[in-house]
Amino acid sequence: MRALITWPLLLVLAACAPATSPTRTLPDTVAALPGLPTDHLRVVVMGDQGTGTDTQWRVAAAMREVCAREGCDLGVALGDNFYPAGPKSLNTTLFRDRFEVPYGPLKIPFLVVPGNHDESWLAGGDGADSRGADVQVAYSRINPQWVMPARSYRAPVGQLVEFFAVDTTPMAAYLPPRRADERVGGAWEVAQRAWLSGALSRSTAHWQLVLGHHPLFSNSTHGDAGQYDGLGLAFQRGDGVRTLYTVACGRADLLLAGHDHALEVFGPQPECPGTWSLVSGAAGNPASPGGGKRAAAFEVYRQAGFMVLDIAASALRVEVYVLDAAGTPQRVHIQELVRP
């Protein structure tokens, strides 16, 4: 009984403890994407897909249909690749069942980031154990279709576009992260922010796109970074996520996220001028309702779906697809990104 009483207090004390870990630097990891076209690229974007339910299979089939008809060169998986929790080792059938079987037939590489369910510790989705992300990095070494060479990495495609993948989960975990240097304000958070800022500054690509699980803006259940779920502690409400994305505002053209199980398109906002934001988290369980008041260019809730980016030097077009009652993909919105 004593342990049951003191455990929550210990978690709170750990979360509030000052960061004492030494300064660290993240390596500049580059994902190689050989053979992709560098003048015109089509990218299919899914998030929160790894439910293992009929919805995941139906959305995967719809993606295959669209890609077969209109072409896809690359995929993006925006985290929560597995529910309720990510694999703890490579000795599992989850990678086969929830990635290889549904998406292998697309025959394209997927840029992958981890989500809070992938980094579960004591409960599914608590986001407190980044060893789950390490397992997914290890999987990328044995399956070239799963591109995740590190938790933070960049992926240039010629001079057309460069993707910057980040791990937002330790900065929005529901429990204090298991690794002390990944807690709020710690060396890992500072290092990832410095890496992203430097990588964006050095990029010479025509378009810059940042990939992370947690959104900067959302009108759905979790809400905006820094206000997630109305929670009171900085590590839960995503203060670090907001700070991380701030270094990309006005420098990246587009922020892509999931976490909320909805489809949302936001133009540049006063808090992030010059940068568009997408939420594509409806590929496995589109249960998130709307309700937020932030102005959106497009939003749809409680409908399964995904997005496609059509990228050329002259324009970047966002296509939003939802599934009808028969599972057929319907394109319901097209958004041309406009630079201010």
Side-chain angles (χ1 to χ4, degrees), residues 4 17-18 22 49 64 72 81 113 129 136 146 153 157 193 221 223 225 229 232 246 251 278 298 302 306 323 337 340:
L4 292 175
Q49 71 279 354
R64 294 195 299 267
C72 293
N81 307 307
V113 299
D129 191 353
Q136 297 187 27
W146 178 285
Y153 64 93
V157 181
R193 188 164 64 243
T221 303
D229 302 298
T246 295
R251 300 163 80 182
L278 303 181
F298 177 80
R302 301 189 188 281
F306 58 96
L323 274 61
L337 265 65

Side-chain angles (χ1 to χ4, degrees), residues 42 70 263-267 276-278 296-300 306-310 316-322 329-337:
R42 283 184 59 82
E70 302 184 22
L263 298 165
E264 302 173 308
V265 179
F266 296 97
W276 287 70
S277 301
L278 303 181
F298 177 80
E299 53 192 334
V300 63
F306 58 96
M307 298 185 183
V308 174
L309 308 181
D310 189 285
L316 194 162
R317 187 173 72 238
V318 180
E319 304 171 359
V320 183
Y321 289 86
V322 299
Q330 304 291 333
R331 189 167 61 190
V332 293
H333 183 73
I334 297 177
Q335 184 72 54
E336 296 279 351
L337 265 65

Side-chain angles (χ1 to χ4, degrees), residues 223-244:
D224 295 349
Q227 303 173 32
Y228 291 151
D229 302 298
L231 297 171
L233 296 174
F235 73 93
Q236 296 174 323
R237 68 185 180 226
D239 284 10
V241 177
R242 181 181 58 199
T243 304
L244 175 67

Side-chain angles (χ1 to χ4, degrees), residues 246-258:
T246 295
V247 307
C249 291
R251 300 163 80 182
D253 298 286
L254 183 59
L255 307 176
L256 289 79

Side-chain angles (χ1 to χ4, degrees), residues 277-298:
S277 301
L278 303 181
V279 175
S280 183
N285 177 26
S288 297
K293 295 181 170 49
R294 185 173 292 277
F298 177 80

Side-chain angles (χ1 to χ4, degrees), residues 6-284:
T6 58
W7 178 240
L9 177 60
L10 289 173
L11 289 176
V12 173
L13 290 175
C16 297
T20 57
S21 54
T23 301
R24 61 181 292 186
T25 302
L26 294 188
D28 184 30
T29 303
V30 182
L33 296 172
L36 293 185
T38 57
D39 56 345
H40 181 204
L41 193 71
R42 283 184 59 82
V43 184
V44 61
V45 181
M46 64 182 181
D48 303 84
Q49 71 279 354
T51 56
T53 63
D54 180 64
T55 299
Q56 180 179 9
W57 314 137
R58 291 170 66 243
V59 173
M63 290 166 55
R64 294 195 299 267
E65 179 179 333
V66 169
C67 290
R69 184 175 65 240
E70 302 184 22
C72 293
D73 307 296
L74 181 66
V76 166
L78 291 168
D80 283 359
N81 307 307
F82 304 96
Y83 289 89
K88 302 299 185 185
S89 76
L90 294 175
N91 186 25
T92 175
T93 61
L94 283 173
F95 287 109
R96 181 198 67 197
D97 296 343
R98 303 203 188 168
F99 181 72
E100 296 170 20
V101 171
Y103 312 114
L106 286 167
K107 300 186 183 306
I108 57 174
F110 276 81
L111 302 177
V112 183
V113 299
N116 55 294
H117 282 269
D118 302 311
E119 299 188 27
S120 299
W121 182 20
L122 301 179
D126 61 31
D129 191 353
S130 57
R131 292 179 299 176
D134 294 340
V135 172
Q136 297 187 27
V137 169
Y139 178 65
S140 74
R141 301 187 190 111
I142 61 175
N143 184 353
Q145 196 173 13
W146 178 285
V147 181
M148 188 178 169
R151 291 164 58 197
S152 307
Y153 64 93
R154 58 188 178 93
V157 181
Q159 291 296 305
L160 178 62
V161 58
E162 188 163 10
F163 300 88
F164 303 85
V166 295
D167 184 358
T168 58
T169 292
M171 298 173 289
Y174 292 102
L175 297 176
R178 180 180 177 276
R179 291 170 169 164
D181 70 342
E182 295 181 2
R183 293 173 189 160
V184 62
W188 185 86
E189 177 183 323
V190 174
Q192 183 174 230
R193 188 164 64 243
W195 170 81
L196 179 61
S197 179
L200 284 168
S201 296
R202 293 187 296 270
S203 178
T204 59
H206 188 80
W207 300 97
Q208 286 83 29
L209 279 61
V210 175
L211 316 177
H213 178 64
H214 294 78
L216 179 56
F217 304 120
S218 177
N219 280 333
S220 196
T221 303
H222 297 298
D224 295 349
Q227 303 173 32
Y228 291 151
D229 302 298
L231 297 171
L233 296 174
F235 73 93
Q236 296 174 323
R237 68 185 180 226
D239 284 10
V241 177
R242 181 181 58 199
T243 304
L244 175 67
Y245 286 144
T246 295
V247 307
C249 291
R251 300 163 80 182
D253 298 286
L254 183 59
L255 307 176
L256 289 79
H259 197 44
D260 268 321
H261 298 184
L263 298 165
E264 302 173 308
V265 179
F266 296 97
Q269 302 290 303
E271 304 96 320
C272 190
T275 299
W276 287 70
S277 301
L278 303 181
V279 175
S280 183

